[in-house]
Amino acid sequence: IREVFEPQDFENAYGPTETVVMPLAQRVPARLDADAPTVPIGYAVGARQLYVLAADLALLPAGAVGELYVGGFGLARAYHERPGLSAERFVADPFAVAGAGRLYRTGDRVRLRRDGSFEYLGRIDQQVKIRGFRIELGEIESRLQAHAAVAEAAVRVIEGPTSRQLAAYVIPARLDVLHAAD
């Protein structure tokens, strides 16, 4: 694209659905540092709490890699009719006064940079995005393994001819069951 169009500054905005509106944004210059490994996902926007936390919810210093937690304005209350998932993803804010706040565990691995911006480094779980849909590979694997004919299953993302696709690999519980399905 840069060979066809004159390079332009752009706004890079980050925002999971659960935060309603974007909690992070940053203007990115047209001429990026060629040695930069990633483009930052931005600085805090508005009345938000943004933390990089370890698995035990300990606050990590700038430069350390952890999970991004978001709280404050615009945070969803829960997932509709999914109390287990809601309890896993929406947690009490350990830094809130009188325990009044909540945080959303994004599942995103990030690093807080020394300039105060956040850098996205990938996922901490098996969630992937294909054509705009969030997909939990572990949920698909669980459903496959629930079938009597399947002993083990693994699901991965592969590059198809025109887009990313899911591929499921299974080990049959018994070979005779596998052939009986033919």
Side-chain angles (χ1 to χ4, degrees):
I1 287 181
R2 290 189 187 267
E3 291 144 7
V4 176
F5 298 103
E6 181 66 29
Q8 300 290 317
D9 289 359
F10 64 92
E11 289 291 326
N12 191 18
Y14 166 95
T17 302
E18 293 83 355
T19 63
V20 182
V21 293
M22 64 183 186
L24 294 164
Q26 177 174 353
R27 179 169 289 284
V28 178
R31 306 260 184 240
L32 291 175
D33 177 0
D35 295 328
T38 63
V39 173
I41 55 175
Y43 297 93
V45 174
R48 300 297 177 102
Q49 291 79 50
L50 297 158
Y51 303 108
V52 180
L53 302 180
D56 64 357
L57 299 182
L59 187 61
L60 296 172
V65 176
E67 183 174 1
L68 178 62
Y69 285 70
V70 179
F73 174 76
L75 186 64
R77 291 185 180 153
Y79 292 112
H80 181 66
E81 296 181 359
R82 304 230 18 219
L85 184 59
S86 294
E88 177 187 324
R89 294 305 222 174
F90 295 92
V91 299
D93 182 345
F95 312 107
V97 178
R102 291 178 314 111
L103 298 174
Y104 170 64
R105 295 182 54 213
T106 66
D108 291 331
R109 286 179 50 243
V110 299
R111 172 185 1 252
L112 176 61
R113 295 163 44 136
R114 301 219 185 279
D115 68 358
S117 67
F118 289 81
E119 180 180 2
Y120 176 81
L121 301 169
R123 296 287 302 170
I124 63 165
D125 55 19
Q126 289 187 299
Q127 185 184 90
V128 297
K129 211 174 232 188
I130 297 180
R131 292 187 292 280
F133 293 96
R134 286 193 267 177
I135 300 167
E136 296 282 350
L137 299 181
E139 287 183 15
I140 298 170
E141 291 170 352
S142 294
R143 293 287 296 192
L144 289 170
Q145 289 172 345
H147 194 282
V150 176
E152 293 183 48
V155 178
R156 299 291 178 261
V157 175
I158 60 171
E159 292 300 326
T162 60
S163 66
R164 298 172 61 186
Q165 301 173 353
L166 295 178
Y169 304 90
V170 297
I171 296 175
R174 295 187 341 249
L175 289 178
D176 61 322
V177 172
L178 180 65
H179 293 296
D182 289 343

